[in-house]
Amino acid sequence: MTLNARRFLVLLMLQAFGVGLSNIFVNLYIWNIDRSLVTQASYSLCTSAAILLSFPLCSLHARRTSPMASTRVGLLLFMLTYGLILWLQEDCARHVYLIGALFGLAVSFFVIGQHMQFLENARDTQRDRFLYAANFLTSAAAIVAPLLAGWLIQHVAGPTGYFTVFGLSLLTFALAAWWSYRVQGQPLARQSNLPGAWRNKQRTWRGMFWVSTAMATVQGTYTSFLVTIMAYSILQDEFVFGAYSAMVALVGLVSSVALAMRSQARHRLRIYTLGALLVCASSVALALVQQPGMLVLYGIASAIGMNTINTCEIAWSYAAIESAPDYDQHKLDYIVVREIPLGIGRMLGVGLFLLLNSQFASQVLSLGFVLFGTVYLALVPALRRIWQPAATVPTLQKT
């Protein structure tokens, strides 16, 4: 691993620490103000829409400057987002659209450089290990961050604990922005070809387009706020919730070490299927038995499962991009086009959740866990067709 790759992983760890301190606690802070799942869904919807709509703008900025310059803008926008939360305080629940839009814009700018670094620092055969190394460091940050945040919220009376945590996140993003100047990226071609990337008919690229749409429905609801609200509704304590989040991150860290040592590109489908089974079974179990013991079992199983699912999905997406004939000149265009199914999927997921909430408000958490928790497993046949197509048997001509 090169020095630049190691510096990039440190940057990811700092960003993960800043997000780990506050991201889930922003949801809890807003939840404690108005206790509305519709507000949570609106926040997620606005964030998803902002990411989708701003991604072309972010790519244009990256072309005219550099991907790492775009990442630095993202870090500054993270700082602005938490600064706005500190300023609004208890009015946050009335301004979730603004907060969500700023957060989504920050994510868009940041991940442009992140994607480019993942593409530049590892090729397909070694990318799984590189991604698991990144997961290891971000999981380490995610162990400490929620524990510290939960302790501060519990021991600093009233909303001041939340504001202290949000302030620490702001300072962490400032440190990450300073460190980002140590990370170098390759310049991009000025000429864009988004229509060409959109029209690419390669089987792996087009297949991952639709798979990513389905996967993103889970990101828009299940992983963005349903898991947080379910866990907090069972635990009812910020410090215990922080300890639970740290436990989940620890499982993710250990599983990243194990997977990084053994992972190979040819085993992705098998590893993904195992992760999908774990997420599906644990989600259904928690929906049926909402008790602390079952929550712990769910946390362990889902941490391993989501680790494998996310890593395989990203690795497959990068492999599909690298297979494009114009990859070297237009890889950023493929990253931008890839965001379209992700953004649409996230918003479809929120829309489906709002529909469920309108019909089954008292049971929406349980129904949401069952529905969204089974999506990954349902995609296994499609992924098998994309990445392990049946071998064609040559026909023998009669002589």
Side-chain angles (χ1 to χ4, degrees):
M1 189 181 299
T2 65
L3 176 61
N4 193 66
R6 291 195 293 269
R7 287 175 173 174
F8 166 64
L9 292 179
V10 172
L11 175 63
L12 278 186
M13 183 175 64
L14 289 171
Q15 191 265 353
F17 187 80
V19 170
L21 274 172
S22 293
N23 196 31
I24 56 177
F25 288 101
V26 169
N27 290 95
L28 291 186
Y29 180 65
I30 295 173
W31 174 256
N32 284 328
I33 293 173
D34 71 352
R35 297 280 173 172
S36 171
L37 284 170
V38 174
T39 302
Q40 299 287 324
S42 299
Y43 176 58
S44 178
L45 180 63
C46 195
T47 300
S48 300
I51 294 172
L52 176 61
L53 295 175
S54 66
F55 223 78
L57 170 66
C58 298
S59 69
L60 179 62
H61 178 270
R63 285 192 185 280
R64 292 184 175 180
T65 55
S66 72
M68 283 309 302
S70 179
T71 287
R72 292 181 196 109
V73 173
L75 292 168
L76 292 175
L77 286 169
F78 278 123
M79 294 169 62
L80 181 61
T81 302
Y82 289 108
L84 177 65
I85 293 172
L86 288 170
W87 181 56
L88 291 173
Q89 298 189 10
E90 294 187 3
D91 285 335
C92 283
R94 294 191 299 165
H95 296 87
V96 290
Y97 295 104
L98 177 58
I99 297 171
L102 269 178
F103 190 81
L105 189 60
V107 170
S108 287
F109 273 103
F110 181 83
V111 301
I112 288 287
Q114 176 180 309
H115 283 307
M116 292 299 101
Q117 288 289 331
F118 276 133
L119 285 169
E120 292 165 6
N121 285 294
R123 291 299 179 185
D124 184 56
T125 54
Q126 297 296 322
R127 185 164 290 124
D128 296 75
R129 293 187 177 184
F130 186 62
L131 290 171
Y132 283 123
N135 287 342
F136 174 83
L137 291 175
T138 55
S139 295
I143 292 171
V144 179
L147 270 177
L148 175 60
W151 184 87
L152 286 171
I153 291 170
Q154 186 180 63
H155 287 82
V156 179
T160 306
Y162 279 99
F163 302 147
T164 303
V165 168
F166 299 151
L168 283 176
S169 282
L170 193 155
L171 292 175
T172 302
F173 286 120
L175 177 61
W178 168 78
W179 179 262
S180 68
Y181 284 95
R182 296 172 176 262
V183 183
Q184 297 180 351
Q186 297 179 6
L188 297 171
R190 288 298 184 96
Q191 186 177 1
S192 175
N193 187 26
L194 287 173
W198 173 262
R199 291 192 297 265
N200 187 341
K201 299 298 184 181
Q202 286 181 294
R203 176 178 51 82
T204 54
W205 168 250
R206 190 55 57 183
M208 287 306 298
F209 187 95
W210 295 111
V211 166
S212 295
T213 304
M215 287 186 175
T217 62
V218 186
Q219 297 174 12
T221 52
Y222 181 87
T223 56
S224 64
F225 65 90
L226 280 186
V227 172
T228 297
I229 300 304
M230 174 69 88
Y232 184 72
S233 67
I234 294 173
L235 300 174
Q236 295 292 325
D237 182 279
E238 283 85 355
F239 178 69
V240 176
F241 177 79
Y244 167 76
S245 300
M247 183 271 297
V248 171
L250 177 60
V251 174
L253 183 148
V254 173
S255 64
S256 291
V257 173
L259 290 165
M261 294 172 61
R262 300 176 180 272
S263 180
Q264 297 182 26
R266 60 192 176 93
H267 294 152
R268 279 178 196 154
L269 185 60
R270 189 183 307 167
I271 293 173
Y272 172 91
T273 303
L274 174 61
L277 282 168
L278 287 172
V279 170
C280 179
S282 61
S283 297
V284 173
L286 186 61
L288 295 174
V289 182
Q290 297 176 22
Q291 298 292 334
M294 184 59 72
L295 179 63
V296 171
L297 293 176
Y298 163 81
I300 294 171
S302 65
I304 298 171
M306 293 304 296
N307 195 354
T308 62
I309 288 170
N310 291 332
T311 302
C312 290
E313 189 272 334
I314 294 172
W316 274 323
S317 296
Y318 289 157
I321 292 171
E322 285 181 338
S323 68
D326 56 350
Y327 163 73
D328 287 332
Q329 293 77 26
H330 300 294
K331 54 189 172 185
L332 179 57
D333 295 316
Y334 285 93
I335 292 296
V336 174
V337 172
R338 176 181 176 266
E339 192 58 40
I340 296 174
L342 293 177
I344 293 173
R346 292 184 193 111
M347 290 187 286
L348 285 174
V350 174
L352 180 57
F353 171 79
L354 290 173
L355 179 62
L356 282 175
N357 188 66
S358 67
Q359 300 298 318
F360 309 100
S362 62
Q363 298 175 314
V364 69
L365 270 178
S366 299
L367 289 174
F369 258 66
V370 172
L371 176 63
F372 293 110
T374 58
V375 169
Y376 294 123
L377 187 60
L379 291 173
V380 170
L383 287 164
R384 182 177 290 112
R385 287 194 296 270
I386 295 169
W387 295 104
Q388 292 184 358
T392 56
V393 180
T395 57
L396 298 177
Q397 294 183 350
K398 293 182 179 180
T399 57

